[in-house]
Amino acid sequence: MRPVFASEEYLAHRADAVRRSHDLTGLAERLARLARPLLERPIYFPEAKAQLSQDGGICPVDGGPLAFDPWSPDEHTCPRCGGVFSGERHHEQWLMWYHLWLTERALHLAILGGLRADHEAVNRGAAIIGQYAEHYHHFPNRDCVLGPSRLFFSTYLESVWLTIFVGASDVLRALGALSAQQAIATAHAVKASAELIAEFDEGLSNRQTWHHTALLAAGTYLGDDDLAARALDGVFSHLTRGIGADGMWHEGENYHFFAQRALLLSAMMATAHGLDLFHGPRVAERLPATFDAVLATLQPDLTFPARRNAQYGASLRQPRFAEAWEMGVPHVRSPRHTSFLRYLYGAGYGHDDDSSETLIIPDYQEHGGEDVSEIEYHWPAGRFGRDRLSWKALLWMRPELPEAEPGAWRLGSHLLAGQGIAVLRRRRDRCYVSVEFGHPGSGHGHPDRLHLSVHARGRAWLTDFGTGSYVTPDLFWYRSTLAHNAPLVDGVSQTPAEGVCTAFGEMGEWAWCRGELPWGTATAGSQLARTVFQARDYILDFVEFEADHEAWLLVPWHFLTPPGDEDWEPVETPPAFGASPFVHDVRQCPTPGSPIHASDGSWTLSFAGDGFFEVYSAAAPGPPYAGDLRFLAVAGRGSTVQVAAALAVGKWPPVEVARVRDGWEAARPDGMRHRFVTNPGGGWVIHAGESSIVVEAMRRGSGRAIPWSEPVEEVPSRTIAVGRTAPEEPSATFDGPDSYRRAESPYPGADRFSARARLWWSPEAVHLALEVVKPDLVPRAADAPDPRLDNESPDIHADGIQLYVRWPGGPPRGYVLVPDPDRPELRPRPVAGTAAGTDEVHATWSRTAEGYRIDAECRAPQTLAAGMEVEFDCLVNEMWPNRRRRAGQLVLSGGGGWVWLAGDRQAPERFARLALS
């Protein structure tokens, strides 16, 4: 049998390395201390699966996440307010961490026991694995959010769990610690979990990297070479298509690290199959490049940018990041990476020119008793050594850390064309400026093209707040353009767009970049550009807007230190802000051309515009879980709008910017004058004293260097002939797997769930008579409490329908109609984001012998006539007793697949077509 992570011979070899290495000995001793409570105390074995909800694991006082304590299943402490809370919802969220933690402790105990001949540790690890193997089939594959799972609410969590479960089982099997009965039960559990995971393919999502890793582990453990080979093909696909030539995972830094950890574990397992995933011929050096990509966008305080759905303020000064480098650096063989790892550890491993900063970093707080290695839980930054790592380092870390040149890891200005981010760096003041322009990042992307971030003098000034919780309403704020330092047109968030970089470079003390959103990409009928110059002690920013109509341009500035706007005049929210429910307390600056200062004087910003502009401040959510923060915004209106801003931070002298005849001028009271003019040949010219710097324009066109592409879904096309009178036979029947979207289980059969629709039209409306076969009806009363499961309407988790219609030449409209158990009428609720109104649909319902019937009419805003074509769709939601979330839905237009993340939405391109005859 091939080993998954470590054979018995490798463990013996590794035990010798531990004895000879000071670092490995210290790590083993610490892991033994952490394991002691597992040997001395009873271990709680959970009998329920984890569940996701809006309030589970969230402090009801301050809205922040509750701490995970593996020894406290029922009482959960808020680390900020100190409150202690209990309840089913908190316990169900705690279970997510606990299932992962407990299984990882089994692997921890198995490896430690194997290396130290500690039979007690080995036996306790075997007991944990035996419990999971025996009870795995008792956990229900039900109420899932993102694919099937027995222990969790999403498949990717099951994949992480299965990878660790298999690793522990394999080490225990190699040590002879599993009984014959345990070995059989373990194999059955592994096979069942692998079959469940294999059903759910998420394409090029970071989550799919873990599905492949789990299936590779399962195939290796079970001796199923076909399963292992299929998983390895998936790993190769992610290495060559999910990672760009610049080394960055296509969904951004946060998901880069998650995917990288899966790929590293796959690489370790692949060696048993005779494959080198670091340098093999099929992988194009993609895995080594993932380490360089991290350094390319790393911010001066060693946090990674909170781009896209990333968590805010996450620092690499945490053991699990060092652990990934310890696993990869021996295979990458780069002095730069070793230099960074030594810097990350700090004291005792040498310093570079930032040693003074390193020395004031507090010691890392011990979290070994609570750590879950693979899921993104970001601890506060701290200083630590190699003995603070986990079981992975015990298996694969080099005995000694090689010497490396201090500071060799630091990169200068860098353009990641594939990711679409330009980073300007200057060593003096540790200044970092970035502009994002490229692909928004698949499903995790934000509408924030041309977003600006600034770090200087040891702190962040302008940054991306990323995303807080996926299940709370403020998610919609963080996923809006207005929440970023990015231009907003007519108060409407940008549409997903890919911009281009048309200038990037540096010369002497100057660095610059220019990002453009070509005509009609992010905003209809317009184009945007942002040019940023990084000078020695200020930053100059130009935003340009051009449209085929007059429109509002708003450029927000979300400083971490708010503006001093106490004397500004309160005003109604201007139209340039749009209708965001998160923005309030808007104030207008009485002198928009005068410098604006931070409330504590730590920054100064001056604006100038080519024409009319106003400056406002407003309150809105700041960093996640931190409450509201006031931000600035400059607004202009016209078909051509240009706004310039000069920013000075910390001890930099204030700079004012003004429009001059041939361009823009930045000036200080001490006589400094810099003029910026457009170059007739393209680009800019900077006149600085007696010297001039020509900023050349780059070739236009997409700079994407990523070899991946969005999955192209084959959209079904269904046309239904519809007459003027109600037909006797069904116009459409949807009763099979091709019409069924499932949450977990396959289609239950026509006798359990199916539908027949009769459709006809009149000059005023389209009419629907729908008969649904479903033995147990689960309606939802109008006054039923909101279960607060997530950000979706609770109406979708009940029997009922979703109707969608697009009348000729009009926008899509959507409605959710739910039977009320006390009334014959259905409650119509317009779907957010569509043009639907409350009085456009009338529907009634009644019970039938086989289920229920709905009669509905969708009133047209125009007179219908024969020969017209109406786009239409009907989705029938399936709910069963003893479930929290819907089990699936039937879809008139067909297509099958999965119901996850669909909410009450249906893509218009999927609608069927009604041919009126």
Side-chain angles (χ1 to χ4, degrees):
M1 297 289 285
R2 293 187 179 96
V4 176
F5 291 151
S7 64
E8 188 176 10
E9 293 75 18
Y10 180 80
L11 287 174
H13 166 76
R14 193 65 177 172
D16 183 63
V18 170
R19 286 190 293 270
R20 295 172 180 270
S21 166
H22 172 77
D23 288 344
L24 286 174
T25 297
L27 173 59
E29 290 176 351
R30 173 179 159 272
L31 291 178
R33 289 195 302 273
L34 293 176
R36 196 165 297 134
L38 294 161
L39 306 177
E40 297 173 348
R41 300 171 62 173
I43 294 179
Y44 168 77
F45 186 80
E47 297 181 356
K49 71 181 291 179
Q51 296 284 4
L52 181 68
S53 62
Q54 280 193 10
D55 46 6
I58 299 297
C59 175
V61 175
D62 59 30
L66 300 178
F68 168 66
D69 180 351
W71 302 104
S72 182
D74 299 316
E75 294 186 340
H76 313 280
T77 302
C78 175
R80 293 199 295 181
C81 74
V84 179
F85 306 96
S86 60
E88 182 182 20
R89 293 293 189 100
H90 296 316
H91 178 71
E92 289 172 341
Q93 176 66 20
W94 176 89
L95 282 171
M96 183 197 81
W97 298 104
Y98 188 75
H99 280 305
L100 295 168
W101 176 85
L102 184 58
T103 308
E104 190 171 333
R105 299 292 69 76
L107 181 54
H108 174 160
L109 290 165
I111 293 171
L112 192 66
L115 293 176
R116 297 164 66 98
D118 185 337
H119 300 295
E120 187 180 10
V122 170
N123 290 338
R124 182 50 65 97
I128 295 172
I129 291 301
Q131 285 270 41
Y132 271 113
E134 180 182 351
H135 291 89
Y136 175 79
H137 292 277
H138 299 164
F139 292 94
N141 179 23
R142 187 178 66 216
D143 292 323
C144 296
V145 178
L146 200 62
S149 175
R150 289 192 174 274
L151 296 173
F152 304 95
F153 45 81
S154 295
T155 311
Y156 81 93
L157 293 168
E158 177 116 1
S159 291
V160 173
W161 174 85
L162 181 60
T163 303
I164 303 303
F165 179 79
V166 168
S169 301
D170 190 61
V171 172
L172 292 165
R173 183 172 63 179
L175 296 173
L178 294 181
S179 67
Q181 182 178 354
Q182 284 177 324
I184 293 171
T186 299
H188 285 165
V190 171
K191 186 173 186 295
S193 182
E195 289 174 347
L196 182 148
I197 291 166
E199 294 179 353
F200 193 63
D201 190 325
E202 298 193 71
L204 281 176
S205 167
N206 63 91
R207 298 182 297 268
Q208 186 65 29
T209 62
W210 278 98
H211 301 338
H212 291 320
T213 299
L215 295 176
L216 175 57
T220 305
Y221 182 78
L222 297 172
D224 186 337
D225 290 341
D226 288 341
L227 176 60
R230 291 196 302 272
L232 282 166
D233 283 342
V235 173
F236 283 125
S237 176
H238 277 90
L239 283 170
T240 55
R241 294 179 62 235
I243 298 172
D246 54 23
M248 184 67 75
W249 181 258
H250 69 96
E251 293 170 295
E253 286 83 351
N254 190 65
Y255 305 96
H256 176 95
F257 291 114
F258 188 58
Q260 184 192 54
R261 288 199 296 278
L263 293 169
L264 285 171
L265 286 176
S266 289
M268 299 306 173
M269 289 187 280
T271 58
H273 296 264
L275 297 170
D276 179 0
L277 298 192
F278 286 93
H279 306 289
R282 294 178 59 184
V283 294
E285 300 290 322
R286 285 290 196 268
L287 196 49
T290 62
F291 294 94
D292 277 324
V294 172
L295 300 181
T297 64
L298 191 61
Q299 296 171 153
D301 58 358
L302 294 198
T303 59
F304 58 82
R307 299 191 299 137
R308 299 161 180 169
N309 276 340
Q311 295 187 45
Y312 170 77
S315 174
L316 263 67
R317 295 186 189 274
Q318 300 177 68
R320 64 188 174 86
F321 292 111
E323 195 158 69
W325 286 70
E326 290 281 13
M327 292 172 66
V329 165
H331 303 276
V332 175
R333 299 188 290 272
S334 167
R336 178 189 298 135
H337 302 149
T338 302
S339 172
F340 176 71
L341 193 53
R342 297 186 71 91
Y343 178 74
L344 196 61
Y345 288 133
Y349 295 91
H351 300 293
D352 60 17
D353 59 350
D354 254 351
S355 59
S356 60
E357 179 200 356
T358 303
L359 291 174
I360 63 172
I361 298 294
D363 286 341
Y364 186 80
Q365 183 180 352
E366 178 63 80
H367 299 292
E370 298 85 35
D371 267 350
V372 176
S373 297
E374 311 305 346
I375 302 300
E376 303 292 346
Y377 193 98
H378 296 298
W379 299 103
R383 187 176 56 180
F384 58 91
R386 301 180 90 202
D387 63 338
R388 291 297 184 95
L389 308 185
S390 80
W391 60 270
K392 286 189 282 189
L394 201 55
L395 273 186
W396 295 305
M397 185 173 77
R398 287 170 297 181
E400 306 299 334
L401 189 61
E403 294 294 328
E405 179 184 353
W409 64 274
R410 292 180 177 273
L411 299 180
S413 297
H414 209 89
L415 173 64
L416 279 79
Q419 274 289 296
I421 180 171
V423 177
L424 308 177
R425 284 190 179 92
R426 193 177 62 247
R427 293 292 293 274
R428 183 180 181 271
D429 293 333
R430 297 192 303 279
C431 189
Y432 170 111
V433 176
S434 69
V435 176
E436 298 174 38
F437 56 85
H439 194 275
S442 301
H444 288 290
H446 286 185
D448 62 351
R449 305 300 76 195
L450 306 185
H451 167 86
L452 173 69
S453 291
V454 176
H455 287 242
R457 303 187 66 85
R459 60 176 289 189
W461 302 93
L462 295 166
T463 189
D464 195 322
F465 295 146
T467 295
S469 169
Y470 286 172
V471 297
T472 54
D474 62 11
L475 173 71
F476 300 108
W477 165 251
Y478 294 115
R479 287 181 172 178
S480 71
T481 300
L482 189 55
H484 298 81
N485 306 313
L488 180 75
V489 177
D490 273 342
V492 179
S493 282
Q494 301 170 7
T495 56
E498 183 170 1
V500 293
C501 181
T502 56
F504 178 83
E506 54 188 353
M507 182 180 294
E509 294 184 339
W510 291 92
W512 56 82
C513 63
R514 178 179 174 85
E516 296 184 7
L517 293 176
W519 199 274
T521 54
T523 57
S526 63
Q527 61 185 5
L528 286 159
R530 188 167 210 156
T531 308
V532 177
F533 293 94
Q534 185 187 57
R536 184 172 65 88
D537 49 13
Y538 72 95
I539 292 159
L540 200 64
D541 174 53
F542 299 101
V543 177
E544 302 162 80
F545 167 71
E546 184 177 350
D548 58 10
H549 59 289
E550 283 208 348
W552 282 101
L553 172 71
L554 188 82
V555 184
W557 294 72
H558 294 269
F559 286 96
L560 289 171
T561 302
D565 59 355
E566 296 82 0
D567 298 332
W568 293 12
E569 181 181 356
V571 294
E572 295 292 326
T573 303
F577 284 79
S580 173
F582 298 96
V583 174
H584 59 97
D585 192 13
V586 181
R587 304 173 191 174
Q588 184 172 357
C589 177
T591 54
S594 301
I596 299 166
H597 305 280
S599 56
D600 62 358
S602 60
W603 55 259
T604 301
L605 185 67
S606 68
F607 289 114
D610 189 4
F612 166 81
F613 74 97
E614 296 286 357
V615 177
Y616 300 94
S617 67
Y625 312 119
D628 283 358
L629 185 68
R630 299 198 64 78
F631 68 97
L632 282 177
V634 56
R637 181 172 176 80
S639 59
T640 301
V641 180
Q642 296 184 15
V643 176
L647 172 64
V649 301
K651 296 181 180 179
W652 292 350
V655 176
E656 293 191 39
V657 61
R659 188 76 165 98
V660 294
R661 182 176 59 83
D662 56 348
W664 304 84
E665 185 176 75
R668 281 204 307 254
D670 63 6
M672 183 277 291
R673 293 283 189 279
H674 294 155
R675 182 164 291 192
F676 302 80
V677 300
T678 55
N679 187 358
W684 293 71
V685 178
I686 310 170
H687 297 288
E690 297 182 358
S691 64
S692 295
I693 299 171
V694 178
V695 177
E696 298 286 354
M698 295 167 59
R699 181 179 60 84
R700 288 178 179 269
S702 174
R704 182 193 289 184
I706 295 179
W708 59 272
S709 60
E710 297 284 5
V712 178
E713 182 182 10
E714 185 176 343
V715 177
S717 178
R718 184 176 191 180
T719 300
I720 303 171
V722 177
R724 284 288 304 268
T725 59
E728 294 184 4
E729 296 298 322
S731 308
T733 300
F734 26 129
D735 60 358
D738 291 342
S739 299
Y740 183 69
R741 292 179 185 162
R742 59 175 170 141
E744 306 98 9
S745 301
Y747 179 61
D751 59 334
R752 295 279 292 168
F753 189 44
S754 58
R756 298 181 298 274
R758 290 184 298 134
L759 291 157
W760 67 99
W761 65 277
S762 65
E764 299 81 22
V766 165
H767 304 267
L768 167 70
L770 182 73
E771 294 183 2
V772 180
V773 174
K774 186 170 180 294
D776 295 309
L777 182 63
V778 185
R780 175 177 167 79
D783 58 354
D786 186 345
R788 292 176 56 81
L789 297 175
D790 46 42
N791 278 314
E792 302 294 355
S793 165
D795 285 345
I796 66 173
H797 302 300
D799 283 319
I801 64 173
Q802 298 169 200
L803 284 182
Y804 302 90
V805 61
R806 178 151 59 185
W807 306 107
R813 303 167 191 261
Y815 314 86
V816 177
L817 297 99
V818 179
D820 190 314
D822 302 320
R823 302 176 59 192
E825 291 83 17
L826 280 85
R827 301 191 310 276
R829 181 182 59 77
V831 173
T834 74
T838 56
D839 58 350
E840 299 165 356
V841 171
H842 181 265
T844 60
W845 78 282
S846 59
R847 294 181 185 267
T848 65
E850 295 181 305
Y852 64 99
R853 172 183 170 130
I854 289 177
D855 292 280
E857 64 174 29
C858 298
R859 300 186 180 103
Q862 64 207 83
T863 300
L864 301 180
M868 286 185 174
E869 192 173 81
V870 176
E871 295 178 59
F872 184 86
D873 218 341
C874 176
L875 282 59
V876 185
N877 286 321
E878 176 194 20
M879 189 64 177
W880 294 99
N882 301 319
R883 282 190 65 95
R884 300 184 183 189
R885 301 174 184 272
R886 62 185 171 189
Q889 57 185 189
L890 292 168
V891 184
L892 172 69
S893 58
W898 299 86
V899 76
W900 61 274
L901 299 186
D904 57 9
R905 298 169 293 279
Q906 173 76 332
E909 58 268 21
R910 298 188 66 95
F911 294 176
R913 291 168 177 80
L914 306 184
L916 308 188
S917 61

